Amino acid sequence: GDHRLTMAKPLTLMLAKGEFKLLMERLALSPRQSDVQKFVSWVKNLFPDDEEAVSDEESELETIAEELRAKLPVDAIAPGEKICFPTTGPNAEGVACTVHVDGFLYSDELVDDLVEEGKMSRTYCTKCGSRETKPLTFISHSMSIPEVRHLYTAVLPDLDGLTVVDIGSRLGVVLYAGALYSKAKHIIGIELNPVFCRLQREIIAEHKMAPRVEIVEGDVLDYAIVLEDADVVIMHNVFEFFATVEEQRRLWKFMRSALRPGCMLVTVPSLEESLAAAGCTDLPLKGWVEREPVDLTDDEDLDAICLYTTDPGDK
């Protein structure tokens, strides 16, 4: 037969599986019975065991991220979205040296690709026209896929039958991961931006996560009733870049009053850091929450996830 190589044509996963199955059936007809085993061994050598296998959950999250990348700009900032750059604290570096990259949509590898393609830079010039450059600060308003996997498999306990609420759910990675990695009964995202609400509802419908996963559109200050029923509340970079210091103080006071005793609270960054940045000296953690121990991984991003439990006594 003609063994000349032809130009590779793109395949869908379904077609690839079908062609591979057909190939194995044809190979089974070979007069040399060892050919099948030799071929399987050859395929295994192409993909060594030391490479980390991608789980079904991670694969689905990556598929969702790909769908959303096609609908959003690289910075994943929605039209009309208000960004408030902090004036104090570790993130007070200003717009000129800060880049918004959604950690769910763009892994470090994809960011490297964008830099190579000239669509993004990792440095900025401190003096126009000079060679004095500094690294840009990359800010993500979403958890990455490794972070949400760690959250549900290592930080939080078994959530069977519980209600999870994500404040500022944005593109929904915390919600989708909750549906895939946990047994939580109800997973609710509170999101102010209507564009993000629409995108999340589309994903929830397309991936058949309703009615278990639900989006509530509006300001968290109007949804105390949702928080009062929550067993777990998740807050990832939720206030600092989207509210003035005065608004942050009001929001944190609201959170202190709204969460029921015994509720688990997950924050990135730590409550200590967020309250200090907002100048909330009148909101001591003692008597409100207790910080829970979590196993450290030596990964800076994973170890930034903090777990608290609201005081079962008086708030």
Side-chain angles (χ1 to χ4, degrees), residues 54-71:
V54 177
S55 67
D56 291 343
E57 294 87 356
E58 191 168 343
S59 179
E60 184 158 358
L61 288 174
E62 288 175 351
T63 298
I64 293 171
E66 185 176 2
E67 292 168 6
L68 289 169
R69 281 196 297 272
K71 300 178 180 181

Side-chain angles (χ1 to χ4, degrees), residues 11-227:
L11 278 178
T12 64
L13 177 61
M14 186 177 295
L15 283 174
K17 287 180 176 179
E19 291 201 9
F20 186 78
K21 185 177 179 182
L22 182 62
L23 181 65
M24 293 300 293
E25 289 173 353
R26 290 176 60 194
L27 190 59
L29 300 175
S30 168
R32 293 184 294 273
Q33 295 298 312
S34 62
D35 280 358
V36 172
Q37 187 56 48
K38 286 179 179 178
F39 179 73
V40 170
S41 297
W42 177 76
V43 170
K44 285 182 177 179
N45 287 333
L46 287 178
F47 307 98
D49 290 339
D50 60 354
E51 290 189 11
E52 186 177 349
V54 177
S55 67
D56 291 343
E57 294 87 356
E58 191 168 343
S59 179
E60 184 158 358
L61 288 174
E62 288 175 351
T63 298
I64 293 171
E66 185 176 2
E67 292 168 6
L68 289 169
R69 281 196 297 272
K71 300 178 180 181
L72 288 162
V74 172
D75 63 8
I77 301 295
E81 188 172 15
K82 181 183 73 171
I83 302 294
C84 297
F85 285 90
T87 56
T88 60
N91 293 319
E93 298 184 13
V95 63
C97 52
T98 304
V99 176
H100 297 269
V101 179
D102 192 279
F104 172 38
L105 303 190
Y106 294 93
S107 64
D108 289 341
E109 292 79 11
L110 286 176
V111 170
D112 288 340
D113 292 343
L114 291 172
V115 171
E116 285 183 15
E117 294 168 10
K119 296 178 181 178
M120 186 179 291
S121 175
R122 287 192 180 277
T123 61
Y124 72 101
C125 181
T126 58
K127 296 178 181 177
C128 186
S130 80
R131 294 185 179 181
E132 294 183 37
T133 62
K134 286 186 178 180
L136 284 160
T137 300
F138 281 71
I139 296 293
S140 173
H141 303 301
S142 295
M143 283 186 165
S144 66
I145 292 176
E147 287 167 349
V148 290
R149 181 183 63 224
H150 182 70
L151 169 65
Y152 285 108
T153 61
V155 175
L156 289 169
D158 182 6
L159 303 181
D160 192 3
L162 302 185
T163 295
V164 175
V165 175
D166 182 27
I167 298 176
S169 56
R170 203 166 181 85
L171 296 174
V173 63
V174 169
L175 311 180
Y176 316 140
L180 294 167
Y181 285 110
S182 84
K183 296 180 180 178
K185 181 180 181 181
H186 201 187
I187 305 163
I188 303 169
I190 301 177
E191 175 54 50
L192 183 63
N193 190 284
V195 174
F196 290 144
C197 288
R198 176 178 55 79
L199 289 171
Q200 289 177 101
R201 287 177 178 136
E202 288 174 0
I203 294 295
I204 289 166
E206 289 167 10
H207 291 262
K208 297 177 173 57
M209 295 182 179
R212 189 175 166 219
V213 181
E214 177 187 0
I215 301 301
V216 173
E217 183 174 342
D219 192 322
V220 67
L221 292 171
D222 297 325
Y223 288 102
I225 191 169
V226 174
L227 296 180

